[in-house]
């Protein structure tokens, strides 16, 4: 998985200088404890993904359709303005995503930070990790799993606002009738992820919750 170029219009020499300056800046900022959120942007089969982490763990995975600049602004407002592009801090996440898209990884093993979610949504989002690779649950099954069978719509909302998609696989949750439901990255991305995990997946066109 590769990172987006620092400056697509820069010459090779300029890009090398910029990269070196970036390395020095990151080292100084980290040494001075000035960074609360590190991020990088990587390519993937479902488009470029913004990965962001705090010292506690991975806090955000954002699809290109969400507008990465807007996501960084939201992180600055909700968590901290001390944000720095630091690809090395997210090497483990990027590597595991590479393995996932290659079909060799079925579960993620990285620290998570769900401070962007409310307590209820956090419960639902953590439960997503219990859905096996290549399997799907319905929103009603998810509601039963958390002990609140009437909270189907609230579960749908928790899945729709999952800040760490793919790693916490909300794409594996479907409507009771088997249709896709909603997805933060779009229904095309949801279908692609489900088909990656199970080539026999034949979901019907989805609608919102």
């Amino acid at each position: 998985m590769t990172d987006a170029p620092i400056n697509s219009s820069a010459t090779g020499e300029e890009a090398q200088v910029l990269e070196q300056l970036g390395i020095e800046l990151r080292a100084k900022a980290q040494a001075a404890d000035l960074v609360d959120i590190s991020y990088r942007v990587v390519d993937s089969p479902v488009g470029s993904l913004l990965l962001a982490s705090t010292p506690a763990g991975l806090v955000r995975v954002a699809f290109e359709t969400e507008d990465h600049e807007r996501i960084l602004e939201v992180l600055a407002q909700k968590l901290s303005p001390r944000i720095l592009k630091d690809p090395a801090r997210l090497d483990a996440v990027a590597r595991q995503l590479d393995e996932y898209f290659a079909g060799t990884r079925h579960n993620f093993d990285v620290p998570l930070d769900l401070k962007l979610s409310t307590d209820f949504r956090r419960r639902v989002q953590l439960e997503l990790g219990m859905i096996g690779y290549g399997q799907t649950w319905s929103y009603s099954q998810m509601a039963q799993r958390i002990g609140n069978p009437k909270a189907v719509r609230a579960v749908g909302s928790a899945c729709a606002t999952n800040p760490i998609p793919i790693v916490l696989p909300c794409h594996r949750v479907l409507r009771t009738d088997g249709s896709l439901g909603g997805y933060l990255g779009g229904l095309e991305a949801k279908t692609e992820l489900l088909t990656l995990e199970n080539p026999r997946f034949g979901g019907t066109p989805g609608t919102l919750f």
Side-chain angles (χ1 to χ4, degrees):
M1 188 170 287
T2 58
D3 285 285
I6 295 176
N7 184 342
S8 59
S9 64
T11 65
E13 184 176 350
E14 290 171 338
Q16 189 174 9
V17 171
L18 288 171
E19 179 62 25
Q20 183 58 40
L21 288 173
I23 292 172
E24 294 174 3
L25 173 62
R26 289 190 290 270
K28 290 178 181 178
Q30 295 289 356
D33 196 23
L34 297 176
V35 181
D36 293 325
I37 302 172
S38 302
Y39 78 93
R40 71 188 284 180
V41 177
V42 297
D43 293 325
S44 85
V46 291
S48 65
L49 299 171
L50 171 72
L51 313 178
S53 71
T54 67
L58 182 67
V59 74
R60 194 70 167 87
V61 174
F63 293 94
E64 189 173 1
T65 53
E66 296 181 73
D67 186 347
H68 293 165
E69 290 299 324
R70 184 185 67 81
I71 295 300
L72 290 174
E73 291 174 4
V74 171
L75 291 174
Q77 294 167 3
K78 291 190 173 183
L79 300 182
S80 170
R82 303 201 306 178
I83 300 176
L84 183 68
K85 185 175 184 180
D86 190 354
R89 289 274 175 168
L90 288 137
D91 275 349
V93 180
R95 182 179 67 255
Q96 291 191 25
L97 282 168
D98 260 343
E99 294 166 353
Y100 169 78
F101 284 115
T104 60
R105 172 173 290 277
H106 294 177
N107 298 289
F108 291 89
D109 182 22
V110 293
L112 304 178
D113 184 348
L114 281 169
K115 63 166 57 77
L116 289 171
S117 299
T118 62
D119 288 343
F120 175 82
R121 289 180 175 179
R122 191 177 300 123
R123 285 174 57 201
V124 175
Q125 290 156 5
L126 287 173
E127 192 68 24
L128 293 168
M130 302 303 294
I131 309 175
Y133 183 91
Q135 300 178 6
T136 58
W137 290 357
S138 68
Y139 295 110
S140 60
Q141 284 178 303
M142 286 291 296
Q144 292 170 5
R145 290 278 304 191
I146 63 169
N148 194 345
K150 294 183 179 180
V152 176
R153 282 191 171 274
V155 165
S157 179
C159 290
T161 57
N162 173 21
I164 315 177
I166 303 177
V167 176
L168 290 177
C170 52
H171 61 275
R172 296 175 188 164
V173 186
L174 307 177
R175 299 183 73 189
T176 304
D177 64 4
S179 59
L180 294 179
Y183 191 59
L184 199 59
L187 298 184
E188 185 177 342
K190 185 170 186 174
T191 300
E192 188 163 349
L193 293 170
L194 289 168
T195 304
L196 167 70
E197 297 181 7
N198 181 0
R200 295 189 303 275
F201 174 74
T204 57
T207 58
L208 294 178
F209 315 102

